[in-house]
Amino acid sequence: MALKDILPGKLGFGTAPLGNMFRDIPEEEARATVEAAWADGIRYFDTAPFYGAGLAEIRLGDALGDRPREEYVVSTKVGRLILDEVEDVSARDLGEKGDVFKYGRPNRIVNDYSEDATLRSIEGSLERLKTDRVEVVWVHDVAQDFYGDEWLGVFESARTGAFKALDRLRDEGVIKAWGLGVNRVEPIELLLDLDTPRPDGFLLAGRYTLLDHSRALQRVMPRVAERGLGIVVGGPYSSGALVGGPNFEYAPATPAILEKVARIKSIADQHGVSMKAAGLQFALANPAVVAVIPGASKPGRVEEDRAALQETVPKAFWRELREARLVDPAAPLPFGV
């Protein structure tokens, strides 16, 4: 089944913030945010054991516990086991995301992409989510931003372990789809080059945004579209930089990024366009993209995302972005600009 036929709607909910991303979020605020997403009509929720060492999954499971299970779709991730024992959170080696979840649970996180760990990881997720199934499973972070020069070895471990296990689970009907959940383009290229296994799509975070999309556009988007697979775009606001935040890619934004944001915002202001609308509608204009999943940690953010999706953005705005060379010449834009 194609990914676009599994996911209900173009707007999903990314739960990384529920894992206490960057700050200690009160339980009631986390729950209110999920409830706001539900009230808004969102029925696709993406999570991962990594988000706060299981905290995001626990909170999502608590918030959705009394909802009819057939009415919503969940994707989670494998590659990291969350153990009962605790560890020194500050001593974790998390690549480029060192402090992102320092306010999460202190449970020990073990990286393991083997077949056995994949099955155990899914079991743990089902327990935390209080559900009997997840529809989509992404293999998490088999890329340079976590593993540096060793990422190809980690990818190979996933190829012989997680990929085969998920291919089998999908074929047996235990899950409906699987793929990679990554912040880099190269692992997707590598998997697309293999004859087997057969992924159904990818969650690509931060690499198909208004601020950073050229490599994905050249290397993977056309191939994904040609094969009838789908891309879920995570991090459409580039860790907040696009909408006025201080961070890009989980770190302080560089002067070059801030200048690009200012130039886009200047054009957006002239046309009365919100930056959220520009970001979401840009991502969804690519035929390979089946959904966007901005994260939210406050109920009001969900309303903003929905409004951004429905906002009328004039054709002239996209044309001016194109003329100012603020988007890749090959990037598909709304209205076929």
PDB file of all heavy atoms in Angstrom, residues 1 7 38 44 46 59 66 133 146 164 167 196 261 278-280 290 313:
ATOM      1  N   MET A   1       0.842  -1.196   0.000  1.00  0.00           N
ATOM      2  CA  MET A   1       0.000   0.000   0.000  1.00  0.00           C
ATOM      3  C   MET A   1       0.880   1.251   0.000  1.00  0.00           C
ATOM      4  O   MET A   1       1.846   1.328   0.751  1.00  0.00           O
ATOM      5  CB  MET A   1      -0.891  -0.003   1.254  1.00  0.00           C
ATOM      6  CG  MET A   1      -1.952   1.099   1.252  1.00  0.00           C
ATOM      7  SD  MET A   1      -2.910   1.170   2.792  1.00  0.00           S
ATOM      8  CE  MET A   1      -3.857  -0.320   2.659  1.00  0.00           C
ATOM      9  N   LEU A   7      -1.472   7.401   5.167  1.00  0.00           N
ATOM     10  CA  LEU A   7      -1.492   8.596   6.017  1.00  0.00           C
ATOM     11  C   LEU A   7      -2.766   9.411   5.794  1.00  0.00           C
ATOM     12  O   LEU A   7      -3.092   9.751   4.663  1.00  0.00           O
ATOM     13  CB  LEU A   7      -0.265   9.467   5.728  1.00  0.00           C
ATOM     14  CG  LEU A   7       1.089   8.778   5.920  1.00  0.00           C
ATOM     15  CD1 LEU A   7       2.219   9.769   5.687  1.00  0.00           C
ATOM     16  CD2 LEU A   7       1.211   8.157   7.313  1.00  0.00           C
ATOM     17  N   TRP A  38      -5.763  16.678  17.984  1.00  0.00           N
ATOM     18  CA  TRP A  38      -6.913  15.813  17.697  1.00  0.00           C
ATOM     19  C   TRP A  38      -8.142  16.655  17.358  1.00  0.00           C
ATOM     20  O   TRP A  38      -8.848  16.379  16.381  1.00  0.00           O
ATOM     21  CB  TRP A  38      -7.205  14.913  18.901  1.00  0.00           C
ATOM     22  CG  TRP A  38      -8.290  13.937  18.619  1.00  0.00           C
ATOM     23  CD1 TRP A  38      -9.643  14.138  18.753  1.00  0.00           C
ATOM     24  CD2 TRP A  38      -8.138  12.617  18.087  1.00  0.00           C
ATOM     25  NE1 TRP A  38     -10.342  13.018  18.364  1.00  0.00           N
ATOM     26  CE2 TRP A  38      -9.444  12.063  17.948  1.00  0.00           C
ATOM     27  CE3 TRP A  38      -7.039  11.832  17.735  1.00  0.00           C
ATOM     28  CZ2 TRP A  38      -9.667  10.769  17.470  1.00  0.00           C
ATOM     29  CZ3 TRP A  38      -7.258  10.551  17.252  1.00  0.00           C
ATOM     30  CH2 TRP A  38      -8.551  10.037  17.123  1.00  0.00           C
ATOM     31  N   TYR A  44      -2.577  11.765  12.115  1.00  0.00           N
ATOM     32  CA  TYR A  44      -1.290  11.085  11.928  1.00  0.00           C
ATOM     33  C   TYR A  44      -0.308  11.633  12.953  1.00  0.00           C
ATOM     34  O   TYR A  44      -0.067  12.853  13.005  1.00  0.00           O
ATOM     35  CB  TYR A  44      -0.761  11.293  10.503  1.00  0.00           C
ATOM     36  CG  TYR A  44       0.685  10.854  10.327  1.00  0.00           C
ATOM     37  CD1 TYR A  44       1.168   9.686  10.917  1.00  0.00           C
ATOM     38  CD2 TYR A  44       1.583  11.587   9.553  1.00  0.00           C
ATOM     39  CE1 TYR A  44       2.489   9.283  10.766  1.00  0.00           C
ATOM     40  CE2 TYR A  44       2.899  11.189   9.389  1.00  0.00           C
ATOM     41  CZ  TYR A  44       3.345  10.046  10.001  1.00  0.00           C
ATOM     42  OH  TYR A  44       4.657   9.646   9.866  1.00  0.00           O
ATOM     43  N   ASP A  46       3.580  11.097  14.596  1.00  0.00           N
ATOM     44  CA  ASP A  46       4.902  10.481  14.456  1.00  0.00           C
ATOM     45  C   ASP A  46       5.668  10.620  15.764  1.00  0.00           C
ATOM     46  O   ASP A  46       5.727  11.708  16.348  1.00  0.00           O
ATOM     47  CB  ASP A  46       5.699  11.161  13.336  1.00  0.00           C
ATOM     48  CG  ASP A  46       7.117  10.603  13.260  1.00  0.00           C
ATOM     49  OD1 ASP A  46       7.272   9.447  12.818  1.00  0.00           O
ATOM     50  OD2 ASP A  46       8.056  11.307  13.691  1.00  0.00           O
ATOM     51  N   ARG A  59       3.687   9.908  26.623  1.00  0.00           N
ATOM     52  CA  ARG A  59       2.720  11.012  26.624  1.00  0.00           C
ATOM     53  C   ARG A  59       1.701  10.878  25.498  1.00  0.00           C
ATOM     54  O   ARG A  59       0.522  11.155  25.683  1.00  0.00           O
ATOM     55  CB  ARG A  59       3.470  12.345  26.521  1.00  0.00           C
ATOM     56  CG  ARG A  59       4.146  12.747  27.821  1.00  0.00           C
ATOM     57  CD  ARG A  59       5.024  13.985  27.674  1.00  0.00           C
ATOM     58  NE  ARG A  59       5.275  14.601  28.961  1.00  0.00           N
ATOM     59  CZ  ARG A  59       6.090  15.643  29.158  1.00  0.00           C
ATOM     60  NH1 ARG A  59       6.728  16.183  28.111  1.00  0.00           N
ATOM     61  NH2 ARG A  59       6.258  16.150  30.358  1.00  0.00           N
ATOM     62  N   ASP A  66      -7.907   6.979  25.003  1.00  0.00           N
ATOM     63  CA  ASP A  66      -9.355   6.746  24.928  1.00  0.00           C
ATOM     64  C   ASP A  66      -9.926   7.040  23.536  1.00  0.00           C
ATOM     65  O   ASP A  66     -11.139   7.099  23.356  1.00  0.00           O
ATOM     66  CB  ASP A  66     -10.081   7.599  25.985  1.00  0.00           C
ATOM     67  CG  ASP A  66      -9.788   9.091  25.830  1.00  0.00           C
ATOM     68  OD1 ASP A  66      -8.894   9.434  25.027  1.00  0.00           O
ATOM     69  OD2 ASP A  66     -10.449   9.905  26.503  1.00  0.00           O
ATOM     70  N   ARG A 133      -0.640  -1.948  17.953  1.00  0.00           N
ATOM     71  CA  ARG A 133      -0.013  -1.885  16.633  1.00  0.00           C
ATOM     72  C   ARG A 133       0.449  -0.465  16.296  1.00  0.00           C
ATOM     73  O   ARG A 133      -0.064   0.506  16.838  1.00  0.00           O
ATOM     74  CB  ARG A 133      -0.988  -2.347  15.546  1.00  0.00           C
ATOM     75  CG  ARG A 133      -2.188  -1.424  15.374  1.00  0.00           C
ATOM     76  CD  ARG A 133      -3.229  -2.040  14.445  1.00  0.00           C
ATOM     77  NE  ARG A 133      -4.348  -1.162  14.149  1.00  0.00           N
ATOM     78  CZ  ARG A 133      -5.415  -1.025  14.926  1.00  0.00           C
ATOM     79  NH1 ARG A 133      -5.491  -1.667  16.083  1.00  0.00           N
ATOM     80  NH2 ARG A 133      -6.413  -0.238  14.562  1.00  0.00           N
ATOM     81  N   PHE A 146      24.669  11.506  13.348  1.00  0.00           N
ATOM     82  CA  PHE A 146      24.803  10.766  14.602  1.00  0.00           C
ATOM     83  C   PHE A 146      26.059   9.944  14.679  1.00  0.00           C
ATOM     84  O   PHE A 146      26.656   9.812  15.736  1.00  0.00           O
ATOM     85  CB  PHE A 146      23.590   9.850  14.815  1.00  0.00           C
ATOM     86  CG  PHE A 146      22.521  10.539  15.585  1.00  0.00           C
ATOM     87  CD1 PHE A 146      21.533  11.226  14.923  1.00  0.00           C
ATOM     88  CD2 PHE A 146      22.545  10.572  16.970  1.00  0.00           C
ATOM     89  CE1 PHE A 146      20.577  11.921  15.620  1.00  0.00           C
ATOM     90  CE2 PHE A 146      21.586  11.266  17.680  1.00  0.00           C
ATOM     91  CZ  PHE A 146      20.597  11.933  17.010  1.00  0.00           C
ATOM     92  N   LYS A 164      15.586  -5.956   6.948  1.00  0.00           N
ATOM     93  CA  LYS A 164      15.008  -7.278   6.644  1.00  0.00           C
ATOM     94  C   LYS A 164      13.821  -7.571   7.558  1.00  0.00           C
ATOM     95  O   LYS A 164      12.794  -8.103   7.118  1.00  0.00           O
ATOM     96  CB  LYS A 164      16.078  -8.359   6.779  1.00  0.00           C
ATOM     97  CG  LYS A 164      17.097  -8.334   5.640  1.00  0.00           C
ATOM     98  CD  LYS A 164      18.054  -9.504   5.727  1.00  0.00           C
ATOM     99  CE  LYS A 164      18.990  -9.506   4.510  1.00  0.00           C
ATOM    100  NZ  LYS A 164      19.980 -10.608   4.573  1.00  0.00           N
ATOM    101  N   ASP A 167      10.868  -5.383   6.441  1.00  0.00           N
ATOM    102  CA  ASP A 167      10.347  -5.879   5.163  1.00  0.00           C
ATOM    103  C   ASP A 167       9.409  -7.073   5.421  1.00  0.00           C
ATOM    104  O   ASP A 167       8.325  -7.174   4.852  1.00  0.00           O
ATOM    105  CB  ASP A 167      11.516  -6.323   4.273  1.00  0.00           C
ATOM    106  CG  ASP A 167      11.400  -5.788   2.843  1.00  0.00           C
ATOM    107  OD1 ASP A 167      10.768  -4.736   2.656  1.00  0.00           O
ATOM    108  OD2 ASP A 167      11.940  -6.428   1.925  1.00  0.00           O
ATOM    109  N   THR A 196      17.058  -5.000  -2.975  1.00  0.00           N
ATOM    110  CA  THR A 196      16.213  -5.347  -1.827  1.00  0.00           C
ATOM    111  C   THR A 196      16.876  -4.768  -0.588  1.00  0.00           C
ATOM    112  O   THR A 196      18.092  -4.582  -0.586  1.00  0.00           O
ATOM    113  CB  THR A 196      16.081  -6.883  -1.658  1.00  0.00           C
ATOM    114  OG1 THR A 196      17.389  -7.433  -1.477  1.00  0.00           O
ATOM    115  CG2 THR A 196      15.381  -7.520  -2.830  1.00  0.00           C
ATOM    116  N   VAL A 261      16.704  33.971   5.810  1.00  0.00           N
ATOM    117  CA  VAL A 261      15.381  34.088   6.445  1.00  0.00           C
ATOM    118  C   VAL A 261      14.858  35.514   6.298  1.00  0.00           C
ATOM    119  O   VAL A 261      13.693  35.730   5.944  1.00  0.00           O
ATOM    120  CB  VAL A 261      15.459  33.707   7.947  1.00  0.00           C
ATOM    121  CG1 VAL A 261      14.143  34.035   8.652  1.00  0.00           C
ATOM    122  CG2 VAL A 261      15.790  32.228   8.112  1.00  0.00           C
ATOM    123  N   ALA A 278       4.441  29.803   4.050  1.00  0.00           N
ATOM    124  CA  ALA A 278       5.463  29.663   3.015  1.00  0.00           C
ATOM    125  C   ALA A 278       6.194  28.329   3.174  1.00  0.00           C
ATOM    126  O   ALA A 278       6.413  27.598   2.198  1.00  0.00           O
ATOM    127  CB  ALA A 278       6.450  30.825   3.090  1.00  0.00           C
ATOM    128  N   GLY A 279       6.559  27.987   4.419  1.00  0.00           N
ATOM    129  CA  GLY A 279       7.306  26.757   4.667  1.00  0.00           C
ATOM    130  C   GLY A 279       6.517  25.499   4.370  1.00  0.00           C
ATOM    131  O   GLY A 279       7.000  24.592   3.678  1.00  0.00           O
ATOM    132  N   LEU A 280       5.293  25.430   4.868  1.00  0.00           N
ATOM    133  CA  LEU A 280       4.486  24.223   4.673  1.00  0.00           C
ATOM    134  C   LEU A 280       4.064  24.049   3.221  1.00  0.00           C
ATOM    135  O   LEU A 280       4.131  22.954   2.659  1.00  0.00           O
ATOM    136  CB  LEU A 280       3.237  24.257   5.563  1.00  0.00           C
ATOM    137  CG  LEU A 280       3.450  24.198   7.077  1.00  0.00           C
ATOM    138  CD1 LEU A 280       2.104  24.042   7.789  1.00  0.00           C
ATOM    139  CD2 LEU A 280       4.378  23.072   7.484  1.00  0.00           C
ATOM    140  N   VAL A 290       4.162  13.491   0.784  1.00  0.00           N
ATOM    141  CA  VAL A 290       2.799  13.047   1.111  1.00  0.00           C
ATOM    142  C   VAL A 290       2.263  13.708   2.382  1.00  0.00           C
ATOM    143  O   VAL A 290       1.051  13.721   2.605  1.00  0.00           O
ATOM    144  CB  VAL A 290       2.724  11.514   1.250  1.00  0.00           C
ATOM    145  CG1 VAL A 290       2.978  10.858  -0.094  1.00  0.00           C
ATOM    146  CG2 VAL A 290       3.704  10.989   2.299  1.00  0.00           C
ATOM    147  N   VAL A 313      -1.863  31.851  -0.443  1.00  0.00           N
ATOM    148  CA  VAL A 313      -0.566  32.469  -0.750  1.00  0.00           C
ATOM    149  C   VAL A 313      -0.576  32.853  -2.223  1.00  0.00           C
ATOM    150  O   VAL A 313      -0.736  31.995  -3.098  1.00  0.00           O
ATOM    151  CB  VAL A 313       0.592  31.496  -0.448  1.00  0.00           C
ATOM    152  CG1 VAL A 313       1.935  32.117  -0.834  1.00  0.00           C
ATOM    153  CG2 VAL A 313       0.586  31.099   1.024  1.00  0.00           C
TER     154      VAL A 313
END
